[in-house]
Amino acid sequence: MMNKYRLMSPGPTPIPPEVSAAGALPIIHHRTPEFGEVFTRVNEALKRVFLTENDVFTYAASGTGAFEGAVQNLFSPGDKILVVNNGNFGGRWVKVGKAFGLEVTELKYDWGQKADNDEVAEALANDPEIKAAVCVLSETSTGTVNDIEGFAKAASNVVTIVDAVSGLGACELRTDDWGIDVVVAGSQKALMTPPGLGFVSVSERAMRMHEEAKMPRFYFDWTAAKKAYAKDPAQTAWTPAVSLIIQLDVALRQLLDEGVENVFGRHVLLGRASREGIKGMGLSLFGPDEDLNSAVTAAWVPEGVDGKQLVRMIFREHGIQIAGGQADMAGRIFRIGHCGYFDAFDIIATIAATELALESLDFPVELGKGVGAAQRVFSKSGVTA
Amino acid sequence: MMNKYRLMSPGPTPIPPEVSAAGALPIIHHRTPEFGEVFTRVNEALKRVFLTENDVFTYAASGTGAFEGAVQNLFSPGDKILVVNNGNFGGRWVKVGKAFGLEVTELKYDWGQKADNDEVAEALANDPEIKAAVCVLSETSTGTVNDIEGFAKAASNVVTIVDAVSGLGACELRTDDWGIDVVVAGSQKALMTPPGLGFVSVSERAMRMHEEAKMPRFYFDWTAAKKAYAKDPAQTAWTPAVSLIIQLDVALRQLLDEGVENVFGRHVLLGRASREGIKGMGLSLFGPDEDLNSAVTAAWVPEGVDGKQLVRMIFREHGIQIAGGQADMAGRIFRIGHCGYFDAFDIIATIAATELALESLDFPVELGKGVGAAQRVFSKSGVTA
C-alpha cells in the first residue's frame, strides 16, 4: 500500500507547504533593497520568537557552527566555563570548549536526567573564575528539557549560554525576562525551515565580554555581524543563504500568526499526547514525564524487541520517520520528534504506526489503546473538538 | 512595461528551474539510506567537477566559512603563509590569516592586475619557512583570473590553496593535474545552486599538514568530516543543509550532463561575448582582455556617468541585476556575472540593457553596436547557429 512520507524526527523536521514553495523561488541578489526588506523583517521576527530585544545574528551554518561561534566570540584560551552535560549535545559543548582550549568544568548527569540548578549555583560559587555557564534547553538525544529559568537564576553572576537549537519556538524560553545572555538556535526544528541556518542572540553583557575575547575568529565574528546589521538595510557580513532566509521569512510569519504563546501551548499538548500514547500502549518513557518535554518524546524499546528494527519498520511499512537512540542509547530507545510543524494527527498517526509495528514484531499490544490515550489529551484540551 | 527578473550578478547566480523545483521538495532526515544515496552521488559528482580524486568536504557555510576552515585545519598560530592579493577576496584571505595569528606575507597587486607567478616563486625562495601559498582563481571583485597552473608550479614546494569560490566549474581548474592541495568553493556560482554550501578538497599532503596543525577548530574540522565521510553511506559530521544538497544533486547532474570541458568552453564564449559587447558600445574593460576571464566581466563606468545610477537603472528599468564595484571601486566600475547558469541570450540581453541605460543617461551609444559584437562571438563559434 502507498505510504505518505511523514518526517517525525527530532530534526530536521517537516516544513509547511508555503515554506517549501518559497524554496523554489528564484535566487535574488543579497546586496539589494529587495533582499534587505526580507532580511529586516526576518530579524524583527526572530527577536519576537527569541523574546529578546538583543540582536539575533543569522549564519549560513548548522547549530553546531553557531555554537562554535559563541565560544570563539566570548572567550580567550584558558578561560573557564561550566557546561551542564545531560545528553549528546551537552557532551558536544564540552568537546567544543576543550577544542578551543577552555578549562571546562563539566556538571554531568545521566542521560534522561534533568540538570540540578542548585548544583549549578554551587559549582559557580566554588570557582569564581568561571566566566560563563552553558545549558541545553531541550536535549534532542533524550527529550529531556532543562529548567532554563532556574539555570539563568543560578548562573546569573556569569554569562549564560543556552543551546536552544532544539526547542526554540517550541519550549518556553524567555530570553530577556529570564536574563539569558546568549541563545543559540537552528532553522531546522521549531522554526519550520530547512537546515542550514544558525542563529545567536547576544546580550549587552555578552557583547562586552566579546570585546575582551582573544580567541581567533572571522566567519562567525560578532563584530563583523553587528557592523553589517547596522547598515541600512541590514546585511550579513558574508554571502547569506538567500533561499533559506526567504523560506524562514515565510515560516516566521506563520509562527507569529499562530502566536508564540499558542505555539508553546500546542507543543505542550503534542508532548503530552505522545507520552500518553507511549504509556497507553504499555511502553515506558525515557526521562521525566513532564510538560516541559514538548519537543521530543523518548521511550525505552521494550524487551524482546530490536530497537533498530522497530524504527526501520515504522519507516518501511508505514512511511513514518522517527529516530533511534544516539551513542550508548542506540537500539535501546526510540524518539518521536514534535518540535515545529506538527499537529494532533501527526502524533496520532505515529502512535498508531508504532502499535502496528510492535504487533508485527510479536510484542503484545492492543491496537488503539495508545492512540486513544493520545486522543484523550487533545479531546480534553478542546483543540480537536 | 513588465520586466522579467534576470540575475546577472557574480554571485549568487540564477539556478535552473529543475534546481529551483527541487528546493520545494519535502525535507528528509539526513541519517537515512535515502539521504545517504543523494549525498554519495553528490560527493562523486563534486570530485568530477573539482577534477580530483581527493575528498571534497561539504559544509553548511558560505565560501568564507570553508576558507576559514582551511586556515584552522592547516596551521598552528605563528605559521607563515603567502597570500596573493589582487582584489577584494585576496584581501579577505590576508585578514583571515592575520585573525588566526598567522604571519602573512602579502604579494599585493593593483585591482585588475594578474598575479606574477615569478614573484610567487621568488617570495617562497626568499623565505623557506613559508608553509603554504594562497591564490584566488577568479577575483569576483574585478573579473581578473589568475594563472593557477603557473601558481601551482611556482608554489609546488609548499601547500597550495586556491580560492575557487567564484570560478570552480566555470574557469579551467585541474586540481590534481596541476597539483593543487586545497581548493575552496561555494554553491552559489558555477555550481548553479543557492548560496549556503561551502566546499573544500584536501590532498594527502594537506591532510598530513592538518594532522600537525594546532589551531583550535570544531565545526570545520577535517578529521571529523573524514570520519563521517568514511561511514556507509557517507554522512556529514553535523546536520547538513539537506534541501541545498538535494538541489546541488540536481545541479551537478546537469553540469556533468553538459560535460565539464563543454562547461569551460561555454564560459569562455560568455566572457568573450561580454567583453566584445562592452568594447563594442565604446566602453573600456577593467582588467586584462583575455579568455581566462570567463566568470565575471568588469568595465569602467564611462566619464560623466554615475556608476551607481547605471547599475540601479539597469535593474529598475530593465529587471537585470548586475553589480557595481566593491570597496574603492564602488561607483567606478560595473560587473556582469556569467559564472554558472547563463547562455548567449543572457549576455545579449545584458549588453542591450546596458546600451539602453547609457542612452537614457545621455551617454552617446549606438544601440545594437555592442550587441552585434557580442552576437558575432556566438555566431563565429557556431554555438547559436
Side-chain angles (χ1 to χ4, degrees), chain B residues 6-17:
Chain B
R6 287 182 167 84
L7 181 56
M8 298 293 300
S9 86
T13 61
I15 61 179

Side-chain angles (χ1 to χ4, degrees), chain A residues 31-45:
Chain A
R31 305 296 190 214
T32 58
E34 291 70 27
F35 182 74
E37 197 183 297
V38 174
F39 192 55
T40 301
R41 194 162 55 225
V42 161
N43 291 338
E44 287 309 308

Side-chain angles (χ1 to χ4, degrees), chain B residues 8-9 22 37 44 65 101 118 140 171 177 226 240 263 269 281 315 339 353 358 361 382:
Chain B
M8 298 293 300
S9 86
E37 197 184 298
E44 286 309 308
D118 289 340
T140 301
C171 307
D177 285 355
K226 204 174 171 65
V263 171
L269 286 180
M281 74 178 86
F315 178 63
C339 176
L358 285 170
L361 293 169

